[in-house]
Amino acid sequence: MTESVSSAKRFQQKVIAVVRTIPCGKVTTYGAIALALGAPRQARRVGNALAGLGTGHDVPAHRVVNRSGVLTGAHAFGPPGVMQALLDAEGVHFLEDGRVDMAQHFWEPHSPS
DNA sequence: AGTTTGACAGTAT
DNA sequence: GATACTGCCAAAC
């Protein structure tokens, strides 16, 4: 089935595949995902792909933060604080800066192959 | 068809 | 160490 799909859509599917493998209580970065997909420096597209998911997916997108540990995509989860609450419920610890403790919860994804 | 924006990251100052 | 600038590429306007 060689269906013609937009490259963005295909990229999105690959992103989803990786994000779904993120273990509970762990977080990763956009750049790490992009690198695992074989698209280094394309971190922006990873975020853009997740932004297109919207609601009704089984993807733990709340476990994806930027390199600084900031929840840059919190706005996509509706009311502010929801993304933080989801992570906190999974045992993720936050710094006083409101950032995720990357040194403790960073998890590096692998290629979905 | 050109410009702007975006759930980022790396390098330079 | 913090701030500024640039690179990347696609979707939206």
Side-chain angles (χ1 to χ4, degrees):
Chain A
M1 337 121 54
T2 54
E3 300 300 321
S4 302
V5 292
S6 299
S7 59
K9 187 72 174 186
R10 191 170 67 237
F11 189 86
Q12 182 183 51
Q13 295 300 324
K14 294 175 72 175
V15 171
I16 292 171
V18 174
V19 174
R20 290 191 60 176
T21 62
I22 304 175
C24 182
K26 291 291 180 181
V27 298
T28 189
T29 69
Y30 302 96
I33 294 172
L35 192 66
L37 294 178
R41 274 72 127 134
Q42 311 309 54
R44 244 167 160 159
R45 271 193 260 169
V46 176
N48 203 36
L50 292 176
L53 289 178
T55 52
H57 56 61
D58 295 337
V59 183
H62 57 271
R63 294 176 189 154
V64 184
V65 299
N66 71 351
R67 221 222 179 283
S68 304
V70 180
L71 282 53
T72 50
H75 67 86
F77 291 82
V82 173
M83 184 175 181
Q84 194 273 347
L86 288 170
L87 291 170
D88 184 63
E90 293 183 351
V92 177
H93 181 247
F94 285 80
L95 302 176
E96 292 186 14
D97 296 349
R99 314 182 319 172
V100 177
D101 189 344
M102 299 302 287
Q104 183 178 345
H105 298 287
F106 177 73
W107 177 84
E108 183 166 357
H110 57 86
S111 186
S113 65

